[in-house]
Amino acid sequence: MAATSLLRTSTTCPVDFEPPLPHSARSLQPVEGVPGAYLLAPVLSRGECEQLIAASEALGYAPKKSRRAGPPIRTNTRLLYEAHAGLSETLTQRMRPHLEAIDVSSVGQWRLAAGSRLLNERWRMNRYAAGEQFFPHFDTGYALGRDCRSLLSIILYLNDDFGEGETVFFPGGQTRDHMLPGDEDAREVRIRPTAGTALVFHHFGPLNPRHSGLAPIPDPRPKYVIRTDVFYTRTPPSGSATLFGRSPGAHRCVVLLGPPGAGKSTQLRQVSQALGYTGIDFGHCVRTELARSSELGARIQQFRRKRAALQDAAFGATTGAQRRPAGWLPDALSLELLERQLGPLGPTAGLVLDGFPRMRSQSNFLEGNRWEVLAAVHLKVDDATRAERLQGRTLDPATGQPFHSRHVPPGSESAVTRRPEDAPESVKARMVDWEQDTHPLLEHYAKRGVAVEVDGSGSPEAVTRAILHSLSRRLLEEATPLFPAPLAELLRDASTDGVNHSSHLDSLVFRYQPPSGAALYLKLAPPWGAPLKAEATFLSSESARQLALQVPVLRGLFTLGEDVQALLTEELSGTSAKQAAQACTHDPERARLVHNLAEALRTFHRAPPPGGMTDYAIPVLLRRARERLNRGEVPSRNFTAKYGPPLEGPEALARELDRLERAAQALAEGPRVLLHGDPCLPNFRVDSHGAFTGCLDLSGVGSGDRYWDLALAHWSVQHNLGERWAEAFLGACCGEHLDPDRLSFFAGLRRFLV
């Protein structure tokens, strides 16, 4: 096949336009059966169409070379044409008043682009000869930045003197190879071309229809059409919505993609916990709904029985050589089930999705105004690894969650079950479905700019780290265009790997290495996150200079996207105290480390607190905890076993906070001291002899009871060195004066506030 024709243009306008018609002479009519699709006529006169056909033939058509794997999606010839300004301006004037009537609110608050930028000036002029067609597909569109993108497709028909050649819509989303006689999803809506008429429809969001262009019978000549796009702009979202996913009524989501055995179920659990998101295993949701014998489950079962009967009627009871179409649930049924999972979560919950979307038609629904896809993660795994995982996959009978037979909980060996889907014959069929239906999503998300590929063959922990690193790099890609000029200049020649060094859900920390000098750390925080202005104030204060510990050198405080604070500091010398703890091999080293940590905290607690710092008074902390709980802002991961007694669900958390409020009544306010706020081991630096030399991450610095600091430092030592050394740390800090009730109170309260 010849290469695609080069981009062509013309020095003069190729059309001598006729006198303009009044706007009332044109009509915008909805296409029945295809929501969001319209016919606008007349846009061009027949004479104007003929001039465009002649001009395009003079420039020349050529086949388009497909970049996609597999068979070509189209067989016609085309011409890429940079439309003359006269053409774009005239079509814009004729179409704008009618395009304003099209509702695009399903994908957010967008408005038609101003001026002549309304239409994509790069036209795709298509010529269809006998037997040439455009197979069923979805349009993708173009993004000209975060806040300008195309939302509508335009097919402008230039002639109609041929047979057949209709544009066909598939409102049910099914392609022809899925269609079965009697299948309600197998609907077609056919549009007969009329010269000068524009077919307008969505190509971004839930109204994006699958469609095709049928081959014409060229009598007397081929079919000619122009394909272009309608651009929209929007007011830029806040920096916090862009970087931290907190936009009104929207879910930020991470989509996991991969063939059977890629490890999606494992990563769903681990990534959702690491991000503080809710994980939704769509296949597990289907199985749960069926087991509940609910009304929705009954409709799912009814669909499956009907689908099986249709398949048997079309292909016979045995598969044979011809592939039976995949039995995916209809989009409407899938969406109803997904909505049922979202009901209890609240509008701004972050999600990790496995099993939805499974095919291209479903991906459109994640482009609505309620969704923001941060990344579509492709877990790439070789066949041998997949086979080993599938052979060992079992189900927990209590929860229905899958795990490998090597990790069966003690005492449960006889109770585990295998999923029917993991039988060898079923896996073969699922692999075909992956290749034909789900794998095309990788190309789609690559075009959207959110696709990332991760090697899924490593250990679960290594794969999780790789996924989190890829997500942090995606966030840095979003953050960089928001940098104000002074910050961009400071980082202009510095390099970064894009890895987020923060363990907190409400902050991002990236390390930059300039060509010379100390490395720089850029910390980003939303309005509800770490108070970076307070940290900048403290770093510049006399109290910081009087500490016996070094603090980072402040390079600047900035604002991104109106409401995200950005703090730039120089890297402290020395080694992380966490790394030093992990490197300890003998008890004397561990004893010295916990003693030095206790002394570092005493250094803080003896310093005079400057004014204007965070207030850690008990009533203030309890009020903040209650507000966060009521707003659904308390991360579920804070109540996993890693951070204390595990608790699950809003009711359990509410009871725990009630208990703390009662306990506070018996606690008097302790002496107020200068608090570090986040004194875990990673936030201290030590020298080669183990002496604590510096402290960082001081956004939580404030004034309050020293047990606020002791509670987190105690947990950090316990997590890194064990219970014995956590008790030794308390002994070094408090001796015989330890107040265990006060320590327990602040340890419990921190889980609501960190």
Side-chain angles (χ1 to χ4, degrees):
M1 181 178 287
T4 303
S5 58
L6 297 176
L7 181 66
R8 309 292 178 85
T9 189
S10 50
T11 56
T12 60
C13 183
V15 177
D16 183 13
F17 287 107
E18 299 175 7
L21 296 172
H23 294 317
S24 59
R26 297 186 181 89
S27 65
L28 183 73
Q29 299 296 327
V31 175
E32 186 176 354
V34 187
Y38 301 86
L39 287 169
L40 174 58
V43 175
L44 295 172
S45 70
R46 289 185 177 271
E48 292 165 344
C49 289
E50 291 301 324
Q51 293 177 68
L52 279 169
I53 291 173
S56 69
E57 285 288 4
L59 291 172
Y61 286 84
K64 180 183 185 299
K65 186 176 182 179
S66 178
R67 298 178 183 176
R68 68 175 65 218
I73 193 70
R74 63 196 303 163
T75 58
N76 66 293
T77 55
R78 76 168 190 169
L79 162 68
L80 284 180
Y81 176 63
E82 192 77 32
H84 186 275
L87 287 174
S88 294
E89 291 170 3
T90 300
L91 287 188
T92 295
Q93 292 170 3
R94 293 181 179 183
M95 299 183 73
R96 179 184 289 277
H98 304 281
L99 294 175
E100 287 175 345
I102 296 178
D103 181 10
V104 296
S105 61
S106 63
V107 293
Q109 300 302 312
W110 294 84
R111 55 188 177 275
L112 286 172
S116 60
R117 199 180 190 183
L118 174 69
L119 300 180
N120 187 351
E121 295 177 352
R122 184 163 293 186
W123 293 3
R124 284 80 74 202
M125 304 190 73
N126 293 279
R127 181 181 66 187
Y128 293 85
E132 295 179 349
Q133 60 181 308
F134 205 151
F135 295 102
H137 65 284
F138 290 91
D139 286 352
T140 299
Y142 298 88
L144 303 180
R146 296 172 58 249
D147 306 310
C148 179
R149 69 162 302 115
S150 63
L151 299 181
L152 303 178
S153 291
I154 292 178
I155 297 177
L156 184 53
Y157 300 111
L158 296 182
N159 69 320
D160 51 24
D161 51 347
F162 50 84
E164 299 185 358
E166 295 96 336
T167 300
V168 182
F169 289 105
F170 307 96
Q174 299 282 30
T175 55
R176 284 195 181 87
D177 68 337
H178 281 81
M179 292 183 176
L180 295 168
D183 191 339
E184 294 178 0
D185 259 6
R187 302 192 308 275
E188 292 186 358
V189 175
R190 298 191 173 214
I191 305 298
R192 171 65 190 169
T194 301
T197 296
L199 175 62
V200 185
F201 54 93
H202 293 244
H203 62 217
F204 185 84
L207 297 181
N208 184 357
R210 193 188 297 268
H211 61 285
S212 68
L214 297 184
I217 299 175
D219 183 16
R221 59 178 176 170
K223 177 176 77 170
Y224 293 89
V225 303
I226 294 172
R227 170 72 175 82
T228 188
D229 314 275
V230 183
F231 281 103
Y232 287 74
T233 60
R234 66 175 179 179
T235 301
S238 67
S240 59
T242 300
L243 301 180
F244 296 94
R246 186 76 67 82
S247 54
H251 298 283
R252 164 167 282 180
C253 59
V254 175
V255 176
L256 299 180
L257 298 171
K264 300 186 297 296
S265 298
T266 299
Q267 294 309 317
L268 179 75
R269 293 192 298 271
Q270 297 189 175
V271 172
S272 58
Q273 185 178 104
L275 295 174
Y277 286 9
T278 298
I280 295 181
D281 180 340
F282 191 77
H284 177 64
C285 294
V286 172
R287 292 187 291 272
T288 301
E289 204 66 36
L290 291 172
R292 290 177 56 233
S293 300
S294 65
E295 185 271 338
L296 176 57
R299 283 189 282 130
I300 293 174
Q301 194 68 269
Q302 181 183 19
F303 165 79
R304 287 185 165 180
R305 285 195 294 266
K306 179 180 177 181
R307 184 75 175 178
L310 290 171
Q311 288 181 327
D312 289 346
F315 297 96
T318 58
T319 302
Q322 189 173 5
R323 176 185 177 239
R324 296 159 66 99
W328 304 129
L329 294 180
D331 289 345
L333 208 54
S334 297
L335 284 172
E336 184 178 350
L337 181 57
L338 182 64
E339 291 286 357
R340 184 162 296 191
Q341 313 310 310
L342 300 179
L345 300 182
T348 61
L351 302 173
V352 182
L353 300 176
D354 168 21
F356 189 97
R358 285 195 187 275
M359 51 188 175
R360 180 65 176 82
S361 61
Q362 293 177 349
S363 68
N364 295 328
F365 296 97
L366 298 186
E367 295 177 341
N369 57 9
R370 295 173 52 204
W371 300 92
E372 180 205 348
V373 177
L374 173 61
V377 180
H378 175 207
L379 296 174
K380 194 170 184 179
V381 182
D382 61 76
D383 291 343
T385 301
R386 287 194 313 99
E388 189 276 332
R389 289 175 177 176
L390 291 170
Q391 288 169 4
R393 183 148 68 178
T394 56
L395 284 181
D396 183 329
T399 65
Q401 294 296 329
F403 53 88
H404 199 278
S405 56
R406 292 193 303 265
H407 308 299
V408 175
S412 302
E413 292 84 356
S414 61
V416 297
T417 60
R418 294 289 305 274
R419 294 196 318 176
E421 301 97 299
D422 293 334
E425 288 304 314
S426 179
V427 170
K428 288 181 182 178
R430 290 167 62 203
M431 280 301 298
V432 173
D433 293 338
W434 155 257
E435 291 291 343
Q436 298 206 16
D437 297 327
T438 309
H439 192 271
L441 286 171
L442 303 180
E443 179 186 9
H444 164 66
Y445 282 121
K447 289 181 177 179
R448 291 288 191 243
V450 297
V452 296
E453 184 176 288
V454 170
D455 181 0
S457 60
S459 69
E461 293 72 24
V463 176
T464 300
R465 285 194 298 271
I467 292 174
L468 295 177
H469 289 171
S470 68
L471 297 181
S472 70
R473 284 189 284 269
R474 278 279 304 120
L475 289 171
L476 184 58
E477 291 173 4
E478 297 283 348
T480 302
L482 302 178
F483 288 178
L487 175 59
E489 179 61 26
L490 286 169
L491 299 176
R492 181 166 55 91
D493 298 322
S495 60
T496 178
D497 60 6
V499 172
N500 178 22
H501 291 263
S502 174
S503 61
H504 299 296
L505 302 176
D506 55 3
S507 68
L508 297 168
V509 179
F510 301 104
R511 184 180 186 273
Y512 286 81
Q513 181 60 63
S516 61
L520 302 173
Y521 277 92
L522 177 66
K523 183 190 295 186
L524 308 176
W528 62 87
L532 300 188
K533 184 176 181 180
E535 181 170 2
T537 300
F538 178 75
L539 293 178
S540 305
S541 71
E542 187 64 28
S543 295
R545 285 189 287 270
Q546 291 179 358
L547 279 177
L549 295 168
Q550 293 180 338
V551 297
V553 174
L554 176 66
R555 296 294 297 274
L557 181 68
F558 310 90
T559 301
L560 276 61
E562 298 184 353
D563 65 348
V564 170
Q565 291 183 328
L567 183 76
L568 188 66
T569 58
E570 292 185 5
E571 183 178 47
L572 283 177
S573 60
T575 303
S576 161
K578 177 183 176 71
Q579 294 176 339
Q582 293 170 339
C584 289
T585 56
H586 299 94
D587 284 353
E589 296 174 301
R590 299 183 182 95
R592 183 167 59 251
L593 186 139
V594 298
H595 178 272
N596 290 344
L597 174 60
E599 183 57 36
L601 282 182
R602 276 195 291 271
T603 296
F604 243 93
H605 298 162
R606 286 195 295 261
M613 295 290 101
T614 301
D615 185 1
Y616 286 95
I618 291 176
V620 174
L621 295 175
L622 287 170
R623 184 173 66 252
R624 289 179 194 159
R626 181 63 67 179
E627 290 171 352
R628 281 171 58 87
L629 183 63
N630 291 341
R631 291 195 298 261
E633 295 174 355
V634 178
S636 58
R637 75 170 189 175
N638 286 10
F639 288 88
T640 59
K642 177 180 178 179
Y643 299 102
L647 295 173
E648 187 173 348
E651 293 182 358
L653 269 60
R655 288 194 297 270
E656 172 65 5
L657 187 53
D658 291 343
R659 183 190 69 80
L660 291 171
E661 288 172 339
R662 291 192 298 271
Q665 297 173 8
L667 288 179
E669 285 282 359
R672 299 179 71 81
V673 300
L674 176 66
L675 298 176
H676 180 289
D678 191 12
C680 54
L681 288 173
N683 290 336
F684 289 94
R685 290 291 179 265
V686 300
D687 62 17
S688 58
H689 303 290
F692 278 56
T693 57
C695 57
L696 60 147
D697 199 5
L698 294 159
S699 57
V701 69
S703 173
D705 192 314
R706 68 176 181 141
Y707 276 86
W708 175 266
D709 273 357
L710 296 184
L712 181 57
H714 173 258
W715 172 85
S716 184
V717 174
Q718 183 183 50
H719 179 67
N720 287 281
L721 292 175
E723 181 64 32
R724 172 189 172 189
W725 298 105
E727 295 306 309
F729 163 74
L730 292 177
C733 285
C734 306
E736 298 178 354
H737 303 291
L738 174 68
D739 186 338
D741 292 336
R742 192 173 293 272
L743 181 72
S744 174
F745 170 79
F746 281 104
L749 188 54
R750 289 194 69 103
R751 301 175 80 181
F752 289 90
L753 294 168
V754 173

